Amino acid sequence: MLKTFSITDIGKKRKLNQDYVFSTTDKVGNLSNLFIVADGMGGHNAGDYASRYTVETIVKEIENSFERNTIKIIEHAVEVANSSIRERASQDPSLFGMGTTLVVATLIGHHMQVANVGDSRLYVVNDQITQITRDHSLVEEMVRMGGIDRETARCSLDKNIITRAIGALDTVDVDFFNVDLKAGDIVLMCSDGLTNMVEDQEIQEIIAEDMSIEDKAHKLIDRANENGGKDNIAVILIDPFADSTSITGGIND
């Protein structure tokens, strides 16, 4: 039985929460379930508007889609959201330059389809932690090209410069990943407010602890804040093969 819990937190330094999550184990259109993390960017109110509006647009498009192919369903919804964000920004000067990262996932049994734009992430965690998504960021490009190593990248002042975002350009390039899940796997979707504050190994150790999925999510948020809480934090945890009844939840501070 699929079990999930979602939460966002404003963190310790920001005055606005620009992270937005959507989590449901119910059908959305032709998808069996749907999970989304968006981390908005922009001036006053623009970032939180971008993340919320993008997620709401994607959910609506998926609900109304007659398409059966999962990738096509998600890709079309993301393209519509990108165009809509661009149009809204052109109409309202206060929203100029807004955008958002995006991670989308849907599960069917042991299979998961993932899409991402930007540097919010999806991991599969078991006895180790594996990042499924690939960051669309300047430092990640430098790592792939061999310019800097992974540890240097983590401390780089340029680590928050992203190379793709919803709303950045007239067209959006979406990465897709197919993942086979096994018993014991936990899926983590999160914004960089978590991963910039908590090392991957510590995330894995928290998720491995013997406590409820809700407590694990809260502990991840608490640890990010203990380590500085420099950004908003968004977390969705999914246990694809939980025996107990599904739980969905969310807190927006």
Side-chain angles (χ1 to χ4, degrees), residues 20-24 27-31 33-39 49-66 70-85 99-106 113-117 165-167 172 174 176 189:
Y20 195 84
V21 299
F22 178 88
S23 174
T24 182
K27 285 193 67 174
V28 181
N30 287 326
L31 300 184
N33 45 66
L34 185 62
F35 307 94
I36 307 174
V37 169
D39 179 359
Y49 180 91
S51 57
R52 176 174 51 81
Y53 185 79
T54 293
V55 172
E56 290 174 350
T57 301
I58 288 172
V59 172
K60 181 179 178 180
E61 288 297 318
I62 292 174
E63 286 175 340
N64 294 330
S65 176
F66 293 103
T70 301
I71 291 177
K72 290 181 178 178
I73 292 171
I74 296 172
E75 187 170 43
H76 176 72
V78 173
E79 289 171 348
V80 171
N82 186 73
S83 297
S84 298
I85 284 289
T100 185
T101 68
L102 189 70
V103 179
V104 182
T106 185
Q113 185 71 60
V114 182
N116 91 290
V117 178
I166 304 298
V172 59
V174 186
F176 286 92
M189 301 170 68

Side-chain angles (χ1 to χ4, degrees), residues 19 37 39 101 103 118-123 125 129-133 135 137 140 150-151 153-155 159-160 162 188-204 207 220-221 223-225 227 229-236:
D19 286 0
V37 169
D39 179 359
T101 68
V103 179
D119 63 354
S120 293
R121 296 177 178 177
L122 184 144
Y123 293 88
V125 186
I129 182 168
T130 303
Q131 183 179 338
I132 302 299
T133 53
D135 293 355
S137 66
E140 183 63 24
R150 182 68 61 187
E151 188 58 34
R154 182 173 179 81
C155 301
K159 65 183 178 182
N160 293 325
I162 62 174
L188 165 66
M189 301 170 68
C190 60
S191 63
D192 66 350
L194 177 69
T195 53
N196 283 341
M197 293 290 102
V198 187
E199 296 277 0
D200 284 7
Q201 184 58 38
E202 189 172 9
I203 291 173
Q204 189 273 331
I207 291 176
L220 289 171
I221 295 287
R223 188 60 50 83
N225 280 324
N227 291 348
K230 294 180 180 179
D231 200 354
N232 309 142
I233 312 151
V235 169
I236 297 177

Side-chain angles (χ1 to χ4, degrees), residues 205-253:
E205 291 170 358
I206 291 172
I207 291 176
E209 291 186 29
D210 184 16
M211 54 185 173
S212 70
I213 199 168
E214 299 95 322
D215 288 342
K216 293 176 184 183
H218 283 289
K219 188 165 183 178
L220 289 171
I221 295 287
D222 290 344
R223 188 60 50 83
N225 280 324
E226 289 166 7
N227 291 348
K230 294 180 180 179
D231 200 354
N232 309 142
I233 312 151
V235 169
I236 297 177
L237 285 176
I238 307 165
D239 185 346
F241 311 112
D243 294 327
S244 54
T245 304
S246 294
I247 297 176
T248 57
I251 299 174
N252 289 279
D253 292 333

